[in-house]
Amino acid sequence: MKILIINCSPVRNGATAEIANIVNESVSAGNDVRSVCIDDYSISLCKGCRACHKTAECFQKDDVTKLMDQYEWADRIVSIAPSYWADVPGQFKVFIDRCTPWCNTHEPHAKLSAGKKAYTIALRTGPSMPECERIISTIEHFHGHLEIESSGKLCLTSVEYREDVAARAEEIRKFCEEIVKD
């Protein structure tokens, strides 16, 4: 199985990255795994011109297609997103906006191969679960428009620093069992 792990945070060495490391270790046996960070890609803001509604591609030439090539490669996609003001980080939201050419709400649209499954992990500093659920909702909504099946989610509250992840490591590993089981 080909598994893509995406750190939706621009921070390459924080709590989100530590969770990505645990996921990578947990799913790598017998699988082909790639890990990327949203900050690995240069993505321009959507101009809202809707030209992609007619052409199924964006006129801007940046790294969106490179990241979408990773999505195409994968059978399973694991998105790990921290809370930035109760939603996904802006860098990841910009990527979502730029995926309009792949959005199934207009024709023509670009398409990913069928049969992909997605898993989402949301984390936040405070104890409020609704904020994590909002992050997951954003990512699952995005996956739905790409016709990727949302197959699992994990909410981690009270995680601010990389060191806070150790107390949740077993919970993350258990969640990863679902990813490789499917």
Side-chain angles (χ1 to χ4, degrees):
M1 184 178 342
K2 295 181 276 189
I3 302 172
L4 174 65
I5 302 166
I6 180 163
N7 175 350
C8 301
S9 168
V11 181
R12 298 171 188 268
N13 60 357
T16 307
E18 183 61 22
I19 293 167
N21 290 338
I22 292 169
V23 171
N24 194 329
E25 292 167 5
S26 300
V27 302
S28 62
N31 297 302
D32 190 0
V33 180
R34 293 180 185 172
S35 290
V36 299
C37 178
I38 193 66
D39 205 45
D40 293 340
Y41 299 88
S42 176
I43 302 172
S44 301
L45 297 170
C46 176
K47 302 295 183 186
C49 68
R50 295 190 179 143
C52 63
H53 288 214
K54 296 179 180 134
T55 63
E57 59 185 62
C58 184
F59 72 90
Q60 298 185 82
K61 303 304 175 208
D62 57 14
D63 290 342
V64 169
T65 303
K66 289 179 187 176
L67 186 50
M68 288 307 289
D69 287 346
Q70 297 296 318
Y71 274 68
E72 177 58 34
W73 168 85
D75 302 308
R76 304 289 182 266
I77 297 143
V78 183
S79 303
I80 307 164
S83 174
Y84 278 38
W85 288 98
D87 214 328
V88 296
Q91 293 85 339
F92 192 69
K93 178 62 168 84
V94 167
F95 168 65
I96 291 171
D97 290 346
R98 283 293 309 291
C99 286
T100 301
W102 288 267
C103 181
N104 64 1
T105 58
H106 59 83
E107 290 295 339
H109 69 274
K111 296 180 181 174
L112 294 172
S113 299
K116 297 179 183 304
K117 293 187 176 186
Y119 300 82
T120 306
I121 301 174
L123 62 143
R124 70 173 308 263
T125 300
S128 175
M129 190 61 75
E131 194 169 308
C132 279
E133 291 166 355
R134 179 175 173 168
I135 295 163
I136 288 171
S137 178
T138 294
I139 295 172
E140 287 183 344
H141 181 84
F142 167 59
H143 289 153
H145 283 293
L146 297 180
E147 299 179 1
I148 299 171
E149 179 185 341
S150 293
S151 299
K153 59 188 173 185
L154 176 63
C155 296
L156 302 171
T157 59
S158 303
V159 175
E160 183 170 2
Y161 299 107
R162 184 179 191 101
E163 299 77 30
D164 298 333
V165 176
R168 309 301 287 275
E170 195 53 41
E171 186 178 359
I172 297 164
R173 288 186 191 99
K174 182 122 180 98
F175 176 73
C176 290
E177 291 173 10
E178 297 301 312
I179 298 166
V180 294
K181 181 172 80 171
D182 275 350

